[in-house]
Each structure stands twice: as structure tokens, then as C-alpha cells.
Amino acid sequence: MLPRRPHPIPNESLRGYIGRVALANGYSGPDWMMRHLSGKALHQSTLATISAAIGKSSPQLAGLEGIIPGDTDARHLCMLGGRRLPSDFWRLSLRQICPRCLAESGFAEASWEDMRRVTCAIHQTTLVDTCPSCSRALSWTLGGLTRCQCGMELCSIEPEVASSSLLVAERYAFGGLRAAIHPFRPFGWICPIGSDSS
């Protein structure tokens, strides 16, 4: 049994949680931990395997969002924000992060696993999916929660500022804009004074 088993956090990614447990117990990454505890790589593990390995019940883990490692069948549905999405909407092996959120909160958000999401609305930056040090794509199986396989500290990455049009488009796509903004008008469109804004 693992000596340190932190509690899951609301909005935390399941794979991110496994990475956080690995980090708390001194493993270099979640894949190494799962191989050591269960003999299976992270991407081969089921919810039951993970539950047995880290000492948390399946219902506790099922409450986390994201795709279950090893469950890459596009017919299976996964949860995000209370909505069920086919697993082909998800980043299955690769990952993306907001380095600032990761540094501030210490956990990986489930929404970062959604392939349609490319920005962090909190910091108004683009999500990072490549290590600037080694130019490799960030992975769930290579490296750890906060460190790339090359040793680069992911929280130290300076993300690019997202364009205002990209931020607006993403907020609209995920239902974050007021209904007053017309979906078919171009971004930056300003309603002339005295004209009908409906």
C-alpha cells in the first residue's frame, strides 16, 4: 500500500491524479508507479487495476473526470463537466497543460484533456503541449506530473499569450459568452450607435 494517498480534487483529471499520487510517493512518473505496483503500464491499466494499486476505491476514482487509462475505444463515453463525450474527443496519450495553473494548484485539470480546448481562460494563455527544452510532445507515460522526461520543470514554462479572438471563440464554443453576442458576427464587430443589436 502506498504511504501517501492524497485525496482527489474536484475538476482533477484521473490521469493527473495518478500523476500526483506518483509524485507524492517519489516516483518519477505515473507510468513507473503503475508498472511497479501492478505490472501494467498506465495506458494498459483499468480503473480496477488503478484502484487496487493506489488504495482508493473505484467509486472514488470514477468521480474524477477524463478518460480512463487503457480505455481508448472511441465507442466508450467519458465525462467532462458533467457531459459525456466519446473518447475520440480526448488526448489519449499526449497531454497539454497550463503551466501557471499547474504551479498554482498542483493538479492537472480534466478540461486540459479535451482536444477542443487550446487556451487557459484564467491566465488568457495558450495551453502547452510541447516541452521547450527537448521539443518532445508532453506525455502521460513519459515524465511526471510537473516534469518532462528530459528533466525540464513544466511549471517554469512561459506560455504564449492567447489572442483575444481565440479566447472569445473558445469561450463561445464552451458556452461562456452572454447570449447578447451574436454567433454569426465576426469577432471585433461593433454595433453602430442607434442600430439594432439583435
Side-chain angles (χ1 to χ4, degrees):
M1 189 68 67
L2 291 171
R4 293 185 178 89
R5 291 175 288 153
H7 293 297
I9 299 170
N11 303 320
E12 185 172 17
S13 150
L14 173 59
R15 292 184 292 186
Y17 174 68
I18 298 164
R20 195 160 58 86
V21 172
L23 185 65
N25 287 279
Y27 288 95
S28 60
D31 204 46
W32 286 106
M33 182 183 74
M34 289 305 301
R35 286 179 188 277
H36 179 253
L37 296 176
S38 70
K40 293 186 176 183
L42 178 63
H43 69 277
Q44 298 169 330
S45 301
T46 62
L47 195 62
T49 307
I50 296 163
S51 173
I54 68 176
K56 290 284 184 184
S57 70
S58 291
Q60 281 179 299
L61 298 181
L64 294 169
E65 297 188 320
I67 188 166
I68 298 168
D71 185 7
T72 57
D73 190 325
R75 295 170 299 178
H76 296 176
L77 298 176
C78 309
M79 293 296 293
L80 180 63
R83 296 178 59 205
R84 298 184 74 80
L85 297 172
S87 61
D88 51 9
F89 277 79
W90 297 76
R91 293 174 180 267
L92 302 180
S93 58
L94 303 181
R95 62 186 289 223
Q96 60 181 4
I97 62 166
C98 170
R100 293 178 183 169
C101 284
L102 189 58
E104 291 165 7
S105 67
F107 73 93
E109 293 186 21
S111 64
W112 298 344
E113 296 186 40
D114 188 335
M115 286 196 301
R116 302 167 302 163
R117 194 170 294 276
V118 294
T119 70
C120 171
I122 295 170
H123 296 105
Q124 300 192 344
T125 56
T126 57
L127 296 176
V128 174
D129 61 6
T130 305
C131 173
S133 177
C134 67
S135 301
R136 293 183 182 134
L138 300 182
S139 166
W140 283 110
T141 57
L142 298 173
L145 180 67
T146 60
R147 194 176 294 274
C148 176
Q149 58 182 319
C150 73
M152 171 83 177
E153 183 56 53
L154 300 178
C155 295
S156 69
I157 297 172
E158 188 59 39
E160 292 182 20
V161 175
S163 68
S164 58
S165 59
L166 182 59
L167 288 165
V168 169
E170 190 157 291
R171 280 198 308 269
Y172 183 78
F174 288 94
L177 289 183
R178 294 187 305 275
I181 296 180
H182 197 287
F184 303 111
R185 288 179 179 152
F187 299 119
W189 183 89
I190 299 173
C191 178
I193 296 173
S195 68
D196 181 9
S197 61
S198 61

